[in-house]
Amino acid sequence: MNSSTGWFYWAVLSAVFAALTAIFAKIGIQGVDSDLATLIRTAIIIVVLSVFVMYAGKWSNPFELSGKTWLFLTLSGLATGASWVCYFRALKIGEASKVAPVDKLSLVLVAVFAFAFLGERPSLREWTGIAMVAGGVLVLAFKR
């Protein structure tokens, strides 16, 4: 798979699994505290990823990573944890068909943050698509 387009297939798979996450979580969270459900989900992820990394032969000493890498992976982990806690709480009290689209507002925020902090410069066409996603989020979130 060409590395210039290979990202797309992984991104589509990510979207499929994210969609399944919302459905499975909404079913699984019934009668369970959302924070406990998030903890259980996280523990399962740790086990599965540990097995995957070892099986794939990708294990290396994490203490050899730079301080910058540790800092930003820690911040990413904290943001992920906060996102999951908020997502599961929203799923607990809201409809999955409303919660998931609002969660995808992250796409718009990634574009804005990448512009502000990473120096990425989406084209007018890309900004138009991002604006359309934002509009779609609002339409889906506030349906009657």
Side-chain angles (χ1 to χ4, degrees):
M1 183 177 311
N2 183 325
S3 63
S4 65
T5 58
W7 66 267
F8 182 78
Y9 300 105
W10 288 108
V12 169
L13 285 172
S14 174
V16 170
F17 288 123
L20 290 173
T21 296
I23 301 305
F24 295 156
K26 183 65 179 176
I27 296 167
I29 205 167
Q30 294 172 5
V32 178
D33 177 76
S34 62
D35 295 336
L36 178 61
T38 303
L39 176 64
I40 291 167
R41 173 186 174 195
T42 303
I44 291 167
I45 291 168
I46 289 170
V47 171
V48 169
L49 280 177
S50 296
V51 169
F52 175 78
V53 168
M54 286 186 216
Y55 177 77
K58 295 182 178 188
W59 176 260
S60 64
N61 185 352
F63 297 107
E64 293 177 358
L65 299 174
S66 72
K68 179 182 177 181
T69 297
W70 270 101
L71 172 64
F72 282 97
L73 289 179
T74 298
L75 291 172
S76 176
L78 291 171
T80 298
S83 173
W84 290 356
V85 166
C86 295
Y87 187 72
F88 267 53
R89 285 188 182 183
L91 276 178
K92 182 76 176 177
I93 57 178
E95 297 175 30
S97 63
K98 289 183 180 178
V99 170
V102 173
D103 178 64
K104 297 313 171 219
L105 187 60
S106 64
L107 182 149
V108 175
L109 296 175
V110 166
V112 171
F113 294 161
F115 177 85
F117 302 116
L118 301 177
E120 295 183 9
R121 298 294 179 251
S123 67
L124 178 60
R125 178 178 160 267
E126 291 165 332
W127 279 121
T128 301
I130 292 164
M132 291 171 70
V133 169
V137 165
L138 295 174
V139 168
L140 290 171
F142 299 111
K143 67 181 179 184
R144 292 181 183 220

